[in-house]
Amino acid sequence: MTLGSVPLTTTDLQIVDGARRNSTLICAPVMAESVDQMLVQMKKAKELGADLVEIRVDFLKNFSPRQNLEVLVKQSPLPTLITYRPKWEGGEYDGDESKRQEALRLAMELGSDFIDVELKVAQGFFSSIQGKKPEKVKIIVSSHNYESTPSIEEIGELVAKIQATGADIVKIATTALDITDNARMFQVLVHLQVPIIGLVMGERGFISRILAAKYGGFLTFGSIEAGVVSAPGQPTIKDLLDLYNIRQIGADTKIHGVIGNPIGHSKSPHLYNAAFKSVGFNGIYLPLLVDSVANYISTYSSPDFVGYSYTIPHKEAGLKCCDEVDPIAQAIGAISCMIRRPTDGKLMGYNVDYLGAIGAIEEALQGSNGTPASGSPLVGKLFVVMGAGGAGKALAYGGYEKGARVVVANRTYEKAKELASKVGGQAMTLGELKDFHPEEGMILANTTSVGMKPRIDDTPLPKEALKHYSLVFDAIYTPKLTRLLREAQESGATIVYGTEMFINQAFVQFERFTGLPAPKQLIRDVLARNT
């Protein structure tokens, strides 16, 4: 099942007002143990920008239906959805079923805007109200699957079953075992003519909560505070609005993201979403927790899935999924960026890691030597790369491409020799490097993990050896100032931080994604705020 065939146009979605490009509402779950705490949370939800609150009365201690609902419904600063979730559907209520349904009927009578009734008891509930319900009340009939996400046919049958009860709004929540499970929910959302809440729970289902706005979901849930969620994988209201700019997502919004595993720590969504917003680019950038790159790529084949950054451990697997690969990425054996070419949909793979690092080194050299007449300031320089892994390969190829004389030093000589032979360079072990100084003013790039947090007192090269270098770059950016950089600075060398590599490759990727010049200062400021 792929998303390649989903026909989407902006007219599929109703635009509520000028500030929003979709009609998807943000609903804040309120789950306190007392009515007073709930009122405080509702006020907070309104301040944060939610459109309605889901009042989870099953969380209340000593719930007294008439008295409590009267206060909660009448005093809520936002429209209300009353949910009284029983244990058998993943909630907290473990009492008499007829009393539970009585409380839901009372909520309608008191003027709640929505009530949630589980599919299992919906038929009986509708019989009990005999068609009598206040005009303004909408009944959501819900089904929750905490195990998996069924096939598209099974979800379709479930929708039909829910509609047959007389539901005003269909709600289906499933669980993602793989990120590709979301595609089945998107397929259902986009083809249904009835109001539907379709969400996929868990970290692998996270994208369903943001892209509900693209595919026409009736609402998505946003928690009032981080970690206090009514279902796994729920983002905060603040992230929905400020980080993912959910109000600006339309049916034609292009999807980008960072493919990795794990992915929760990534700062990339902060950078790219802020940058997209600042230039008015109609795109979204998501953290994509991917287990199999090949499955992800074949499932999300629609032209709307247009650009990816690749991180650990998927850079090699990403290369295998490309239709065409840039020669440098091919030589390195890994990609860091993938773009879907708009003309023919072909997937193009690049490695921009080396552009990030080499660009930062060139800028620093120009700053210290004045600008050369033409070409790269690396031309003819002796360029020593420590480490022969992915980043080491990227820097060795980058230096070679810019006309530097490359030396590769690695813990094991064999790996150093293999890489050096590919870039016409010299190989040695890290142990030999401390006595290597055929000339002054060399350039050093560390791509090993020596000196990285938590082992911040380690260094890959003794201070004594650093006096022969005019510039030292360290790919490590936690901490920003490593022991290697600090000692290089004390020895009189120009230093280049690892954060510069990250920033520069973000500039390059932004331009590849959008075709627009990168808002460099904004990207720098956002990274500074988030590290």
Side-chain angles (χ1 to χ4, degrees):
M1 205 289 304
T2 76
L3 256 187
S5 57
V6 175
L8 272 183
T9 63
T10 321
T11 50
D12 290 347
L13 298 185
Q14 157 209 5
I15 306 295
V16 180
D17 58 53
R20 309 173 59 142
R21 299 196 60 238
N22 61 69
S23 59
T24 302
L25 303 171
I26 295 176
C27 180
V30 169
M31 303 174 298
E33 292 186 352
S34 76
V35 171
D36 287 347
Q37 287 170 313
M38 280 191 167
L39 291 170
V40 170
Q41 286 187 7
M42 289 177 190
K43 188 165 169 279
K44 184 86 195 289
K46 185 180 167 72
E47 284 163 11
L48 288 167
D51 298 302
L52 72 154
V53 285
E54 178 187 36
I55 302 172
R56 287 289 301 269
V57 294
D58 49 306
F59 278 83
L60 284 172
K61 295 275 179 262
N62 314 316
F63 175 47
S64 155
R66 183 164 291 277
Q67 202 184 337
N68 296 165
L69 286 169
E70 183 96 51
V71 174
L72 290 165
V73 172
K74 298 281 193 287
Q75 292 188 28
S76 172
L78 289 169
T80 54
L81 154 57
I82 300 292
T83 299
Y84 199 180
R85 189 79 70 223
K87 275 258 164 58
W88 48 261
E89 188 85 3
E92 296 294 308
Y93 180 72
D94 201 10
D96 180 71
E97 180 59 24
S98 59
K99 283 191 175 150
R100 190 180 76 87
Q101 291 191 30
E102 202 176 302
L104 290 171
R105 286 192 292 274
L106 187 60
M108 292 202 302
E109 205 180 293
L110 293 169
S112 180
D113 302 85
F114 304 92
I115 64 158
D116 181 310
V117 180
E118 299 72 20
L119 174 59
K120 202 166 158 181
V121 296
Q123 216 75 58
F125 184 83
F126 277 100
S127 303
S128 76
I129 59 173
Q130 300 170 334
K132 295 191 197 73
K133 76 173 174 87
E135 185 61 34
K136 76 163 230 175
V137 181
K138 297 275 182 277
I139 298 179
I140 298 170
V141 173
S142 61
S143 163
H144 297 79
N145 181 332
Y146 293 99
E147 304 298 312
S148 63
T149 298
S151 71
I152 197 151
E153 292 71 26
E154 288 170 292
I155 300 175
E157 283 164 21
L158 198 52
V159 169
K161 215 179 267 184
I162 291 174
Q163 281 183 277
T165 64
D168 296 302
I169 298 161
V170 172
K171 179 185 176 188
I172 296 176
T174 64
T175 299
L177 303 178
D178 189 273
I179 195 166
T180 56
D181 293 349
N182 297 279
R184 302 200 280 286
M185 193 61 84
F186 297 153
Q187 197 85 318
V188 169
L189 279 179
V190 85
H191 286 118
L192 265 200
Q193 302 310 309
V194 296
I196 175 167
I197 302 161
L199 297 167
V200 187
M201 298 180 282
E203 199 185 348
R204 286 166 175 77
F206 177 79
I207 64 170
S208 72
R209 298 174 176 283
I210 312 295
L211 296 179
K214 176 177 171 69
Y215 293 116
F218 181 75
L219 62 75
T220 190
F221 292 92
S223 67
I224 295 167
E225 53 183 295
V228 185
V229 298
S230 62
Q234 216 169 69
T236 61
I237 300 167
K238 190 179 183 327
D239 280 354
L240 285 172
L241 290 169
D242 301 346
L243 173 53
Y244 296 108
N245 309 315
I246 195 166
R247 303 280 194 225
Q248 301 310 308
I249 297 175
D252 54 351
T253 295
K254 299 293 184 219
I255 297 160
H256 312 73
V258 54
I259 288 180
N261 189 351
I263 206 61
H265 64 284
S266 176
K267 302 297 176 205
S268 298
H270 292 271
L271 297 194
Y272 292 102
N273 286 316
F276 288 170
K277 188 179 184 177
S278 76
V279 300
F281 176 72
N282 185 13
I284 175 88
Y285 188 100
L286 300 165
L288 302 167
L289 178 58
V290 169
D291 297 294
S292 157
V293 175
N295 288 353
Y296 175 87
I297 294 296
S298 65
T299 300
Y300 298 100
S301 58
S302 136
D304 279 357
F305 287 77
V306 296
Y308 305 110
S309 314
Y310 275 79
T311 187
I312 295 164
H314 291 320
K315 293 185 173 201
E316 286 84 10
L319 181 118
K320 295 191 181 96
C321 292
C322 295
D323 297 306
E324 289 177 31
V325 180
D326 168 73
I328 292 259
Q330 193 75 63
I332 293 167
I335 62 167
S336 64
C337 177
M338 180 190 266
I339 306 288
R340 188 181 300 281
R341 196 160 55 194
T343 49
D344 56 9
K346 285 208 179 340
L347 294 169
M348 317 297 294
Y350 303 93
N351 193 309
V352 298
D353 286 347
Y354 85 94
L355 291 173
I358 296 291
I361 291 167
E362 286 180 321
E363 271 172 52
L365 283 172
Q366 273 160 350
S368 60
N369 304 345
T371 312
S374 68
S376 168
L378 278 167
V379 172
K381 289 267 197 269
L382 197 58
F383 185 56
V384 179
V385 178
M386 288 194 281
K393 283 181 186 167
L395 273 139
Y397 277 101
Y400 169 68
E401 209 201 12
K402 295 288 186 177
R405 294 171 291 139
V406 179
V407 175
V408 180
N410 192 55
R411 213 161 30 113
T412 57
Y413 178 72
E414 281 313 308
K415 279 192 81 176
K417 190 177 169 200
E418 191 190 338
L419 177 55
S421 68
K422 288 178 179 168
V423 293
Q426 189 181 344
M428 65 181 64
T429 65
L430 282 171
E432 293 171 296
L433 188 60
K434 62 180 188 301
D435 301 317
F436 175 77
H437 45 86
E439 60 190 69
E440 298 304 309
M442 301 183 292
I443 289 159
L444 180 68
N446 174 42
T447 71
T448 74
S449 59
V450 180
M452 188 169 170
K453 205 173 170 181
R455 300 183 58 179
I456 59 171
D457 295 326
D458 296 352
T459 181
L461 198 61
K463 186 174 182 178
E464 181 52 29
L466 295 173
K467 61 175 186 264
H468 305 291
Y469 294 90
S470 62
L471 181 143
V472 176
F473 163 79
D474 198 339
I476 292 168
Y477 57 87
T478 52
K480 185 177 174 180
L481 182 66
T482 56
R483 179 179 165 189
L484 174 72
L485 290 181
R486 188 178 70 246
E487 292 182 346
Q489 202 168 34
E490 289 163 3
S491 308
T494 300
I495 63 168
V496 179
Y497 297 112
T499 45
E500 290 302 304
M501 169 174 164
F502 184 67
I503 282 276
N504 273 4
Q505 55 94 14
F507 298 160
V508 175
Q509 288 199 66
F510 177 89
E511 289 170 10
R512 293 253 159 99
F513 289 154
T514 64
L516 300 166
K520 294 186 175 179
Q521 196 51 51
L522 176 116
I523 290 175
R524 284 185 184 282
D525 294 346
V526 172
L527 185 66
R529 275 202 306 277
N530 286 284
T531 49

